[in-house]
Short mmCIF file of all heavy atoms in Angstrom, two decimals:
data_model
loop_
_atom_site.label_atom_id
_atom_site.label_comp_id
_atom_site.label_asym_id
_atom_site.label_seq_id
_atom_site.Cartn_x
_atom_site.Cartn_y
_atom_site.Cartn_z
N SER G 214 -10.41 14.93 -2.35
CA SER G 214 -9.99 13.54 -2.56
C SER G 214 -10.76 12.93 -3.69
O SER G 214 -11.83 13.41 -4.07
CB SER G 214 -10.21 12.74 -1.28
OG SER G 214 -11.58 12.68 -0.94
N VAL G 215 -10.23 11.84 -4.24
CA VAL G 215 -10.84 11.16 -5.36
C VAL G 215 -11.32 9.80 -4.93
O VAL G 215 -10.61 9.10 -4.25
CB VAL G 215 -9.84 11.03 -6.53
CG1 VAL G 215 -10.45 10.33 -7.70
CG2 VAL G 215 -9.36 12.39 -6.95
N ASP G 216 -12.51 9.42 -5.32
CA ASP G 216 -13.02 8.13 -4.95
C ASP G 216 -13.38 7.38 -6.25
O ASP G 216 -13.27 7.93 -7.32
CB ASP G 216 -14.29 8.31 -4.08
CG ASP G 216 -14.37 7.25 -3.02
OD1 ASP G 216 -14.00 6.12 -3.32
OD2 ASP G 216 -14.82 7.54 -1.90
N VAL G 217 -13.81 6.12 -6.14
CA VAL G 217 -13.98 5.36 -7.35
C VAL G 217 -15.34 4.81 -7.60
O VAL G 217 -15.51 3.96 -8.47
CB VAL G 217 -12.97 4.20 -7.42
CG1 VAL G 217 -11.58 4.69 -7.52
CG2 VAL G 217 -13.15 3.24 -6.28
N GLU G 218 -16.35 5.24 -6.89
CA GLU G 218 -17.65 4.70 -7.22
C GLU G 218 -18.82 5.68 -7.15
O GLU G 218 -19.92 5.28 -7.22
CB GLU G 218 -17.98 3.53 -6.24
CG GLU G 218 -17.25 2.30 -6.66
CD GLU G 218 -17.54 1.17 -5.73
OE1 GLU G 218 -18.38 1.34 -4.86
OE2 GLU G 218 -16.91 0.13 -5.90
N ASN G 219 -18.56 6.91 -6.96
CA ASN G 219 -19.67 7.82 -6.74
C ASN G 219 -20.27 8.43 -8.00
O ASN G 219 -21.43 8.70 -8.01
CB ASN G 219 -19.29 8.94 -5.81
CG ASN G 219 -19.39 8.50 -4.36
OD1 ASN G 219 -19.92 7.42 -4.10
ND2 ASN G 219 -18.90 9.29 -3.46
N ILE G 255 -22.85 -0.34 -8.25
CA ILE G 255 -23.53 0.88 -7.82
C ILE G 255 -24.23 1.49 -9.02
O ILE G 255 -23.61 1.76 -10.07
CB ILE G 255 -22.51 1.89 -7.23
CG1 ILE G 255 -21.88 1.26 -6.01
CG2 ILE G 255 -23.18 3.18 -6.90
CD1 ILE G 255 -20.90 2.18 -5.33
N GLU G 260 -27.66 6.76 -3.92
CA GLU G 260 -27.14 7.94 -3.27
C GLU G 260 -25.60 7.93 -3.28
O GLU G 260 -24.98 6.90 -2.99
CB GLU G 260 -27.60 7.97 -1.80
CG GLU G 260 -29.05 8.39 -1.62
CD GLU G 260 -29.32 9.81 -2.11
OE1 GLU G 260 -28.49 10.70 -1.82
OE2 GLU G 260 -30.31 10.02 -2.81
N PRO G 261 -24.97 9.04 -3.69
CA PRO G 261 -23.51 9.07 -3.64
C PRO G 261 -23.00 9.19 -2.23
O PRO G 261 -23.75 9.38 -1.27
CB PRO G 261 -23.20 10.37 -4.43
CG PRO G 261 -24.38 11.22 -4.25
CD PRO G 261 -25.57 10.29 -4.15
N SER G 262 -21.68 9.05 -2.07
CA SER G 262 -20.99 9.19 -0.76
C SER G 262 -21.20 10.61 -0.28
O SER G 262 -21.51 11.55 -1.00
CB SER G 262 -19.53 8.84 -0.94
OG SER G 262 -18.78 9.39 0.11
N SER G 263 -20.98 10.74 1.02
CA SER G 263 -21.13 12.07 1.62
C SER G 263 -20.06 13.03 1.12
O SER G 263 -20.23 14.24 1.22
CB SER G 263 -20.98 11.95 3.16
OG SER G 263 -19.76 11.38 3.49
N ASP G 264 -18.98 12.51 0.58
CA ASP G 264 -17.94 13.40 0.05
C ASP G 264 -18.33 13.74 -1.39
O ASP G 264 -18.20 12.97 -2.30
CB ASP G 264 -16.57 12.71 0.07
CG ASP G 264 -15.45 13.63 -0.35
OD1 ASP G 264 -15.74 14.74 -0.85
OD2 ASP G 264 -14.30 13.23 -0.18
N GLU G 265 -18.81 14.96 -1.61
CA GLU G 265 -19.34 15.35 -2.93
C GLU G 265 -18.24 15.63 -3.92
O GLU G 265 -18.52 15.81 -5.10
CB GLU G 265 -20.24 16.56 -2.78
CG GLU G 265 -19.53 17.76 -2.16
CD GLU G 265 -20.49 18.90 -1.85
OE1 GLU G 265 -21.68 18.63 -1.73
OE2 GLU G 265 -20.04 20.05 -1.75
N VAL G 267 -15.68 13.60 -4.70
CA VAL G 267 -14.92 12.39 -5.02
C VAL G 267 -15.43 11.75 -6.30
O VAL G 267 -16.54 11.99 -6.71
CB VAL G 267 -14.96 11.38 -3.85
CG1 VAL G 267 -14.33 11.97 -2.63
CG2 VAL G 267 -16.38 10.94 -3.57
N LEU G 268 -14.58 10.91 -6.87
CA LEU G 268 -14.91 10.26 -8.11
C LEU G 268 -14.61 8.77 -7.98
O LEU G 268 -13.53 8.40 -7.53
CB LEU G 268 -14.09 10.83 -9.25
CG LEU G 268 -14.15 10.09 -10.60
CD1 LEU G 268 -15.57 10.23 -11.16
CD2 LEU G 268 -13.15 10.62 -11.57
N HIS G 269 -15.54 7.92 -8.37
CA HIS G 269 -15.36 6.48 -8.31
C HIS G 269 -15.00 5.94 -9.70
O HIS G 269 -15.60 6.31 -10.70
CB HIS G 269 -16.61 5.79 -7.80
CG HIS G 269 -16.84 6.03 -6.36
ND1 HIS G 269 -16.18 5.32 -5.36
CD2 HIS G 269 -17.68 6.88 -5.70
CE1 HIS G 269 -16.60 5.69 -4.19
NE2 HIS G 269 -17.49 6.65 -4.35
N VAL G 483 -5.29 10.49 1.84
CA VAL G 483 -4.85 10.15 0.49
C VAL G 483 -5.84 10.76 -0.53
O VAL G 483 -7.06 10.62 -0.36
CB VAL G 483 -4.82 8.60 0.32
CG1 VAL G 483 -4.43 8.23 -1.09
CG2 VAL G 483 -3.80 8.03 1.31
N PHE G 485 -6.90 9.88 -3.21
CA PHE G 485 -7.55 8.92 -4.09
C PHE G 485 -8.01 7.72 -3.23
O PHE G 485 -7.30 7.31 -2.35
CB PHE G 485 -6.60 8.39 -5.18
CG PHE G 485 -7.14 7.19 -5.91
CD1 PHE G 485 -7.99 7.31 -6.95
CD2 PHE G 485 -6.80 5.89 -5.48
CE1 PHE G 485 -8.51 6.22 -7.59
CE2 PHE G 485 -7.32 4.80 -6.10
CZ PHE G 485 -8.18 4.96 -7.17
N LYS G 486 -9.17 7.19 -3.53
CA LYS G 486 -9.60 5.96 -2.86
C LYS G 486 -10.60 5.21 -3.72
O LYS G 486 -11.26 5.75 -4.59
CB LYS G 486 -10.18 6.27 -1.49
CG LYS G 486 -11.38 7.21 -1.48
CD LYS G 486 -11.89 7.40 -0.02
CE LYS G 486 -13.16 8.25 0.02
NZ LYS G 486 -12.80 9.70 0.07
N THR G 487 -10.66 3.91 -3.52
CA THR G 487 -11.67 3.11 -4.17
C THR G 487 -12.93 3.02 -3.30
O THR G 487 -12.90 3.40 -2.11
CB THR G 487 -11.18 1.66 -4.42
OG1 THR G 487 -11.08 1.00 -3.14
CG2 THR G 487 -9.77 1.65 -5.08
N GLY G 488 -14.00 2.52 -3.84
CA GLY G 488 -15.21 2.37 -3.06
C GLY G 488 -15.11 1.30 -1.98
O GLY G 488 -15.91 1.25 -1.04
N LEU G 489 -14.08 0.46 -2.09
CA LEU G 489 -13.88 -0.61 -1.13
C LEU G 489 -13.64 -0.04 0.30
O LEU G 489 -14.00 -0.68 1.28
CB LEU G 489 -12.72 -1.49 -1.53
CG LEU G 489 -12.93 -2.29 -2.82
CD1 LEU G 489 -11.65 -2.90 -3.30
CD2 LEU G 489 -14.01 -3.37 -2.59
N VAL G 490 -13.03 1.12 0.39
CA VAL G 490 -12.77 1.69 1.68
C VAL G 490 -14.09 2.09 2.37
O VAL G 490 -14.21 1.95 3.59
CB VAL G 490 -11.83 2.92 1.58
CG1 VAL G 490 -12.47 4.09 0.90
CG2 VAL G 490 -11.34 3.32 2.99
N GLU G 491 -15.07 2.54 1.59
CA GLU G 491 -16.37 2.86 2.17
C GLU G 491 -17.05 1.60 2.67
O GLU G 491 -17.71 1.62 3.71
CB GLU G 491 -17.25 3.58 1.15
CG GLU G 491 -16.63 4.81 0.53
CD GLU G 491 -16.31 5.90 1.54
OE1 GLU G 491 -16.80 5.84 2.68
OE2 GLU G 491 -15.55 6.83 1.20
N ALA G 492 -16.90 0.51 1.93
CA ALA G 492 -17.49 -0.76 2.37
C ALA G 492 -16.83 -1.23 3.66
O ALA G 492 -17.51 -1.71 4.59
CB ALA G 492 -17.34 -1.79 1.29
N PHE G 493 -15.49 -1.08 3.74
CA PHE G 493 -14.77 -1.45 4.94
C PHE G 493 -15.24 -0.66 6.13
O PHE G 493 -15.50 -1.21 7.22
CB PHE G 493 -13.27 -1.30 4.71
CG PHE G 493 -12.42 -1.46 5.90
CD1 PHE G 493 -12.21 -2.74 6.45
CD2 PHE G 493 -11.81 -0.39 6.53
CE1 PHE G 493 -11.41 -2.91 7.59
CE2 PHE G 493 -10.98 -0.57 7.65
CZ PHE G 493 -10.81 -1.83 8.17
N LEU G 494 -15.35 0.64 5.99
CA LEU G 494 -15.75 1.50 7.10
C LEU G 494 -17.19 1.22 7.49
O LEU G 494 -17.53 1.19 8.68
CB LEU G 494 -15.58 2.97 6.75
CG LEU G 494 -14.11 3.40 6.51
CD1 LEU G 494 -14.06 4.86 6.04
CD2 LEU G 494 -13.25 3.21 7.76
N ALA G 495 -18.06 1.03 6.48
CA ALA G 495 -19.48 0.69 6.78
C ALA G 495 -19.57 -0.65 7.49
O ALA G 495 -20.35 -0.79 8.48
CB ALA G 495 -20.28 0.69 5.50
N ALA G 496 -18.80 -1.62 7.05
CA ALA G 496 -18.83 -2.93 7.69
C ALA G 496 -18.31 -2.79 9.12
O ALA G 496 -18.84 -3.44 10.06
CB ALA G 496 -17.93 -3.90 6.91
N GLY G 497 -17.31 -1.96 9.31
CA GLY G 497 -16.79 -1.72 10.68
C GLY G 497 -17.86 -1.14 11.58
O GLY G 497 -18.03 -1.61 12.73
N ARG G 498 -18.60 -0.17 11.05
CA ARG G 498 -19.65 0.42 11.88
C ARG G 498 -20.71 -0.61 12.27
O ARG G 498 -21.23 -0.63 13.39
CB ARG G 498 -20.29 1.60 11.15
CG ARG G 498 -19.37 2.81 10.99
CD ARG G 498 -20.11 4.02 10.49
NE ARG G 498 -20.55 3.88 9.12
CZ ARG G 498 -19.85 4.20 8.03
NH1 ARG G 498 -18.62 4.66 8.19
NH2 ARG G 498 -20.35 4.05 6.84
N MET G 499 -21.04 -1.53 11.31
CA MET G 499 -22.02 -2.57 11.62
C MET G 499 -21.54 -3.50 12.71
O MET G 499 -22.36 -4.05 13.48
CB MET G 499 -22.33 -3.37 10.32
CG MET G 499 -23.09 -2.62 9.27
SD MET G 499 -23.45 -3.68 7.85
CE MET G 499 -24.50 -4.91 8.61
N HIS G 502 -17.44 -0.75 15.21
CA HIS G 502 -16.22 0.02 15.12
C HIS G 502 -16.53 1.38 14.45
O HIS G 502 -16.64 1.44 13.20
CB HIS G 502 -15.14 -0.71 14.28
CG HIS G 502 -14.92 -2.14 14.73
ND1 HIS G 502 -14.40 -2.45 15.96
CD2 HIS G 502 -15.17 -3.31 14.12
CE1 HIS G 502 -14.33 -3.77 16.09
NE2 HIS G 502 -14.77 -4.32 14.98
N THR G 504 -16.35 5.09 12.71
CA THR G 504 -15.40 5.76 11.84
C THR G 504 -14.90 7.00 12.56
O THR G 504 -15.68 7.92 12.82
CB THR G 504 -16.07 6.12 10.51
OG1 THR G 504 -16.54 4.90 9.90
CG2 THR G 504 -15.07 6.80 9.58
N PHE G 515 -12.19 2.65 13.27
CA PHE G 515 -11.59 2.61 11.94
C PHE G 515 -11.57 4.02 11.38
O PHE G 515 -12.38 4.89 11.77
CB PHE G 515 -12.42 1.72 10.98
CG PHE G 515 -12.44 0.27 11.35
CD1 PHE G 515 -11.83 -0.23 12.47
CD2 PHE G 515 -13.13 -0.64 10.55
CE1 PHE G 515 -11.84 -1.57 12.77
CE2 PHE G 515 -13.19 -1.98 10.85
CZ PHE G 515 -12.54 -2.46 11.97
N GLY G 516 -10.65 4.27 10.46
CA GLY G 516 -10.61 5.59 9.79
C GLY G 516 -9.81 5.55 8.54
O GLY G 516 -9.02 4.63 8.28
N TYR G 517 -10.03 6.56 7.67
CA TYR G 517 -9.24 6.73 6.46
C TYR G 517 -7.79 6.84 6.83
O TYR G 517 -7.41 7.50 7.80
CB TYR G 517 -9.67 7.98 5.68
CG TYR G 517 -11.10 7.93 5.17
CD1 TYR G 517 -12.09 8.73 5.76
CD2 TYR G 517 -11.46 7.13 4.10
CE1 TYR G 517 -13.40 8.70 5.30
CE2 TYR G 517 -12.77 7.10 3.63
CZ TYR G 517 -13.70 7.88 4.22
OH TYR G 517 -15.00 7.84 3.79
N ALA G 643 -13.52 -2.35 -9.50
CA ALA G 643 -13.74 -2.07 -8.09
C ALA G 643 -12.46 -1.92 -7.31
O ALA G 643 -12.42 -1.26 -6.31
CB ALA G 643 -14.54 -3.23 -7.47
N GLU G 674 -5.85 1.96 2.17
CA GLU G 674 -6.81 3.05 2.16
C GLU G 674 -7.40 3.38 3.52
O GLU G 674 -7.87 4.49 3.72
CB GLU G 674 -7.97 2.70 1.21
CG GLU G 674 -7.52 2.45 -0.22
CD GLU G 674 -8.69 2.27 -1.16
OE1 GLU G 674 -9.52 1.40 -0.91
OE2 GLU G 674 -8.74 3.02 -2.15
N ALA G 675 -7.36 2.46 4.46
CA ALA G 675 -7.90 2.73 5.78
C ALA G 675 -7.18 1.88 6.79
O ALA G 675 -6.57 0.84 6.46
CB ALA G 675 -9.40 2.41 5.83
N SER G 697 -6.81 -1.92 5.48
CA SER G 697 -7.77 -2.19 4.40
C SER G 697 -7.16 -1.70 3.10
O SER G 697 -6.78 -0.53 2.94
CB SER G 697 -9.07 -1.50 4.66
OG SER G 697 -9.98 -1.70 3.57
N MET G 698 -7.10 -2.60 2.10
CA MET G 698 -6.48 -2.24 0.82
C MET G 698 -7.54 -1.99 -0.24
O MET G 698 -8.65 -2.53 -0.16
CB MET G 698 -5.53 -3.37 0.39
CG MET G 698 -4.34 -3.56 1.32
SD MET G 698 -3.17 -4.80 0.73
CE MET G 698 -2.53 -3.97 -0.76
N GLY G 699 -7.16 -1.24 -1.24
CA GLY G 699 -8.01 -1.04 -2.40
C GLY G 699 -7.81 -2.15 -3.40
O GLY G 699 -7.94 -1.95 -4.62
N TRP G 734 -10.27 -7.74 -2.67
CA TRP G 734 -10.11 -6.86 -1.49
C TRP G 734 -9.51 -7.69 -0.36
O TRP G 734 -9.79 -8.89 -0.23
CB TRP G 734 -11.48 -6.31 -1.02
CG TRP G 734 -11.38 -5.62 0.32
CD1 TRP G 734 -10.91 -4.38 0.56
CD2 TRP G 734 -11.72 -6.20 1.58
NE1 TRP G 734 -10.95 -4.09 1.92
CE2 TRP G 734 -11.45 -5.21 2.57
CE3 TRP G 734 -12.24 -7.44 2.00
CZ2 TRP G 734 -11.68 -5.41 3.93
CZ3 TRP G 734 -12.49 -7.65 3.36
CH2 TRP G 734 -12.19 -6.64 4.30
N LEU G 786 -16.16 -9.10 8.38
CA LEU G 786 -16.25 -7.83 7.64
C LEU G 786 -16.55 -8.10 6.18
O LEU G 786 -17.41 -7.45 5.58
CB LEU G 786 -14.95 -7.05 7.79
CG LEU G 786 -14.63 -6.46 9.16
CD1 LEU G 786 -13.19 -5.99 9.23
CD2 LEU G 786 -15.57 -5.32 9.50
N SER G 789 -20.06 -9.18 5.34
CA SER G 789 -21.13 -8.30 5.82
C SER G 789 -21.85 -7.64 4.62
O SER G 789 -21.39 -7.65 3.47
CB SER G 789 -20.59 -7.23 6.75
OG SER G 789 -19.73 -6.37 6.07
N GLN G 790 -22.96 -6.98 4.92
CA GLN G 790 -23.79 -6.41 3.88
C GLN G 790 -23.10 -5.39 2.99
O GLN G 790 -23.28 -5.41 1.77
CB GLN G 790 -25.02 -5.74 4.54
CG GLN G 790 -26.08 -5.23 3.55
CD GLN G 790 -26.63 -6.37 2.70
OE1 GLN G 790 -26.87 -7.47 3.20
NE2 GLN G 790 -26.85 -6.11 1.41
N PRO G 791 -22.21 -4.52 3.51
CA PRO G 791 -21.57 -3.53 2.63
C PRO G 791 -20.74 -4.15 1.50
O PRO G 791 -20.57 -3.52 0.46
CB PRO G 791 -20.69 -2.73 3.59
CG PRO G 791 -21.40 -2.82 4.90
CD PRO G 791 -21.96 -4.19 4.92
N PHE G 792 -20.27 -5.39 1.69
CA PHE G 792 -19.49 -6.02 0.63
C PHE G 792 -20.36 -6.88 -0.32
O PHE G 792 -19.83 -7.44 -1.29
CB PHE G 792 -18.37 -6.86 1.23
CG PHE G 792 -17.19 -6.04 1.70
CD1 PHE G 792 -17.05 -5.71 3.04
CD2 PHE G 792 -16.24 -5.63 0.80
CE1 PHE G 792 -15.98 -4.96 3.49
CE2 PHE G 792 -15.15 -4.85 1.23
CZ PHE G 792 -15.02 -4.54 2.58
N LYS G 794 -22.57 -5.93 -2.39
CA LYS G 794 -22.71 -5.35 -3.73
C LYS G 794 -21.55 -5.68 -4.63
O LYS G 794 -21.62 -5.53 -5.83
CB LYS G 794 -22.85 -3.82 -3.59
CG LYS G 794 -21.66 -3.11 -2.98
CD LYS G 794 -21.95 -1.62 -2.80
CE LYS G 794 -20.78 -0.90 -2.14
NZ LYS G 794 -21.10 0.50 -1.88
N TYR G 795 -20.45 -6.14 -4.02
CA TYR G 795 -19.31 -6.57 -4.84
C TYR G 795 -19.32 -8.08 -5.08
O TYR G 795 -18.39 -8.60 -5.70
CB TYR G 795 -17.99 -6.19 -4.13
CG TYR G 795 -17.79 -4.73 -3.96
CD1 TYR G 795 -17.99 -4.09 -2.73
CD2 TYR G 795 -17.41 -3.93 -5.03
CE1 TYR G 795 -17.81 -2.74 -2.58
CE2 TYR G 795 -17.23 -2.56 -4.86
CZ TYR G 795 -17.43 -1.96 -3.66
OH TYR G 795 -17.23 -0.62 -3.50
#
Side-chain angles (χ1 to χ4, degrees):
S214 63
V215 179
D216 216 324
V217 294
E218 282 180 6
N219 277 352
I255 298 181
E260 285 296 316
S262 159
S263 59
D264 186 349
E265 58 189 21
V267 297
L268 172 67
H269 287 281
V483 177
F485 167 84
K486 58 179 183 274
T487 71
L489 295 168
V490 68
E491 305 298 345
F493 172 72
L494 296 176
R498 291 190 292 271
M499 289 183 64
H502 309 295
T504 301
F515 295 2
Y517 296 108
E674 301 187 304
S697 178
M698 296 184 67
W734 170 78
L786 291 167
S789 65
Q790 187 60 40
F792 282 99
K794 62 185 179 184
Y795 297 103

